[in-house]
């Protein structure tokens, strides 16, 4: 590979080499972006638009709530001078659009403001609470993938069997059970009756992995069952149809092992609906975490948002909502990128579209050359 293709200048010893290096790097990044599949670029553009609209809505709801730091902190004893002074201190005496642009610009630098009550930076409070949510959600997604994926594959390999009907019935039942109901059942059985697991609390993963697992396994299991049921249903339906495709029959006739046909060919093409269900489960996990964290006394982001809502602490509410939106959008982008990596058809469509555009551009250039 040439030096130019890697984004580095061929000769850096000459004067102005650093400037040319930067220009080459920018052009190389532009070429890589242009070669990116259009579907992924569209997802990035849509996600950016959704983030801006959601941030505006989040900030607008906080501004329209009528909450005031002086009234919230000082109470009924606040004088007009006190209210004016505190409004100026928090920047609430500026136009609403200016407040939003300032808040959003500071958010991109990691500054989400300060709590009205504790004056602690919102980013610091979120940095302490967010790892709890991410660890529990990550463990819940792992359980959902293992449980739902295994059940969906097993049911698809024996369509119409007793196992298939059992998996379908179990998915229907688990899909209707709210996470907090499962959480209460788990606490009653494993904590109160058997005494095997603690009923609440949290220990960080980097402090003691074993104790972290004992504290997070029940809330993660309570949140994972609905996602596991959705994954199993989608994977079973998609895999049953994929196993009947011609390319699977051809792979079997070529003498490939059943394991290789399943995991190397069929599952790769059938995984898209299950991955979509997995991505859609993330907002449900974050939403269900509000009640689940209350049951298990977990100091997570949902608990922080709930306490802030009770106190009308608008900066903390806005910060937690903005971070939650960002997490959901990042997961959505990752799922779409994974879908594209697993789906060769989408890549071929993207390559065909780019080749068609290139042929069209060449034709237009030739047409202009003939006319001249």
């Amino acid at each position: 590979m040439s030096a130019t293709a890697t984004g580095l200048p061929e000769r850096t010893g000459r004067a102005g080499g650093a400037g040319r290096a930067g220009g080459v790097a920018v052009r190389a990044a532009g070429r890589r972006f242009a070669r990116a599949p259009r579907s992924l670029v569209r997802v990035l553009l849509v996600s950016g638009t959704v983030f801006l609209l959601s941030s505006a809505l989040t900030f607008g709801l906080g501004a329209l709530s009528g909450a005031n730091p002086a009234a919230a902190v000082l109470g009924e004893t606040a004088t007009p001078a006190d209210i004016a002074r505190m409004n100026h201190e928090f920047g609430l005496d500026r136009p609403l659009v200016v407040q939003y642009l300032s808040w959003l610009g500071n958010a991109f630098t990691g500054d989400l403001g300060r709590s009205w009550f504790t004056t602690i930076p919102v980013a610091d409070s979120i940095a302490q609470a967010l790892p709890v949510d991410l660890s529990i959600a990550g463990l819940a997604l792992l359980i959902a993938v293992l449980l739902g994926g295994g059940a969906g594959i097993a049911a698809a390999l024996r369509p119409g069997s007793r196992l298939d009907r059992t998996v379908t019935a179990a998915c229907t039942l688990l899909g209707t059970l709210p996470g907090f109901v499962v959480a209460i059942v788990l606490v009653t059985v494993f904590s109160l009756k058997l005494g095997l697991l603690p009923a609440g609390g949290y220990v960080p993963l980097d402090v003691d992995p074993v104790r972290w697992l004992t504290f997070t396994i029940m809330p993660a299991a309570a949140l994972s069952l609905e996602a596991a049921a959705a994954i199993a249903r989608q994977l079973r339906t998609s895999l049953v149809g994929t196993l009947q495709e011609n390319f699977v029959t051809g792979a079997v006739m070529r003498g490939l092992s059943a394991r290789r046909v399943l995991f190397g060919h069929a599952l790769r093409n059938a995984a898209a609906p299950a991955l979509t269900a997995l991505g859609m489960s993330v907002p449900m996990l974050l939403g269900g975490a509000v009640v689940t964290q209350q049951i298990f006394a977990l100091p997570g982001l949902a608990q922080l948002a709930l306490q802030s809502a009770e106190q009308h602490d608008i900066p903390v509410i806005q910060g937690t909502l903005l971070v939650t939106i960002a997490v959901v959008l990042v997961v959505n982008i990752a799922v779409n990128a994974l879908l594209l990596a697993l789906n060769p058809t989408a890549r071929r469509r993207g390559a065909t579209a780019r080749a068609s555009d290139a042929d069209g551009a060449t034709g237009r250039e030739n047409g202009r050359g003939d006319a001249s």
Side-chain angles (χ1 to χ4, degrees), residues 85-230:
R85 175 179 55 80
M86 189 162 288
N87 284 339
H88 179 73
E89 180 180 347
F90 285 98
L92 300 178
D93 54 349
R94 298 177 296 174
L96 185 60
V97 175
V98 176
Q99 294 182 42
Y100 166 70
L101 294 177
S102 176
W103 174 74
L104 185 62
N106 292 334
F108 281 114
T109 65
D111 182 10
L112 295 172
R114 292 179 176 270
S115 169
W116 286 353
F117 292 89
T118 64
T119 68
I120 297 176
V122 177
D124 293 348
S125 300
I126 293 177
Q128 294 179 358
L130 185 59
V132 180
D133 292 75
L134 294 180
S135 62
I136 295 175
L139 183 58
L141 289 177
L142 178 61
I143 295 173
V145 169
L146 295 177
L147 186 60
I153 293 174
L157 293 178
R158 298 173 180 83
S161 64
R162 181 178 299 178
L163 175 61
D164 185 19
R165 293 193 295 271
T166 302
V167 169
T168 302
C171 291
T172 303
L173 176 62
L174 294 177
T176 60
L177 288 178
F180 71 91
V181 174
V182 180
I184 294 174
V185 173
L186 292 177
V187 170
T188 303
V189 174
F190 292 99
S191 296
L192 301 181
K193 298 294 183 181
L194 301 179
L196 298 177
L197 296 172
Y202 181 77
V203 173
L205 176 61
D206 55 352
V207 174
D208 191 336
V210 176
R211 293 189 63 198
W212 167 83
L213 184 61
T214 59
F215 280 106
T216 57
I217 186 64
M218 283 200 298
L223 292 174
S224 68
L225 294 183
E226 185 176 358

Side-chain angles (χ1 to χ4, degrees), residues 72-366:
V73 176
L74 301 178
E76 298 179 355
T77 61
T79 63
D82 293 332
I83 294 176
R85 175 179 55 80
M86 189 162 288
N87 284 339
H88 179 73
E89 180 180 347
F90 285 98
L92 300 178
D93 54 349
R94 298 177 296 174
L96 185 60
V97 175
V98 176
Q99 294 182 42
Y100 166 70
L101 294 177
S102 176
W103 174 74
L104 185 62
N106 292 334
F108 281 114
T109 65
D111 182 10
L112 295 172
R114 292 179 176 270
S115 169
W116 286 353
F117 292 89
T118 64
T119 68
I120 297 176
V122 177
D124 293 348
S125 300
I126 293 177
Q128 294 179 358
L130 185 59
V132 180
D133 292 75
L134 294 180
S135 62
I136 295 175
L139 183 58
L141 289 177
L142 178 61
I143 295 173
V145 169
L146 295 177
L147 186 60
I153 293 174
L157 293 178
R158 298 173 180 83
S161 64
R162 181 178 299 178
L163 175 61
D164 185 19
R165 293 193 295 271
T166 302
V167 169
T168 302
C171 291
T172 303
L173 176 62
L174 294 177
T176 60
L177 288 178
F180 71 91
V181 174
V182 180
I184 294 174
V185 173
L186 292 177
V187 170
T188 303
V189 174
F190 292 99
S191 296
L192 301 181
K193 298 294 183 181
L194 301 179
L196 298 177
L197 296 172
Y202 181 77
V203 173
L205 176 61
D206 55 352
V207 174
D208 191 336
V210 176
R211 293 189 63 198
W212 167 83
L213 184 61
T214 59
F215 280 106
T216 57
I217 186 64
M218 283 200 298
L223 292 174
S224 68
L225 294 183
E226 185 176 358
I231 292 173
R233 285 196 301 265
Q234 296 295 334
L235 185 58
R236 183 264 175 201
T237 303
S238 179
L239 190 56
V240 167
T242 303
L243 289 174
Q244 299 174 0
E245 295 288 342
N246 292 333
F247 72 90
V248 174
T249 304
V252 173
M253 294 180 64
R254 289 197 301 271
L256 299 181
S257 64
R259 181 184 300 272
R260 184 175 178 183
V261 171
L262 175 62
F263 292 100
H265 295 78
L267 190 58
R268 180 173 181 175
N269 288 271
L275 283 175
T276 303
L278 181 64
M280 295 178 61
S281 299
V282 174
M284 293 188 295
L285 289 178
L286 296 177
V290 176
V291 180
T292 304
Q293 289 183 11
Q294 185 75 16
I295 294 174
F296 291 100
L298 296 170
L301 195 64
Q303 192 71 4
L304 176 64
L306 181 61
Q307 294 173 355
S308 302
E310 294 174 349
Q311 297 176 339
H312 300 285
D313 199 345
I314 300 301
V316 180
I317 298 174
Q318 291 174 335
T320 54
L321 289 177
L322 189 68
V323 170
T324 302
I325 293 168
V327 170
V328 172
L329 291 177
V330 168
V331 171
N332 181 60
I333 294 172
V335 168
N336 280 275
L338 186 57
L339 285 172
L340 187 67
L342 291 176
N343 189 355
T345 304
R347 291 199 302 271
R348 287 195 295 269
R349 284 199 299 266
T352 302
R354 290 192 297 272
S356 177
D357 291 344
D359 292 341
T362 302
R364 289 190 297 271
E365 291 293 337
N366 293 336

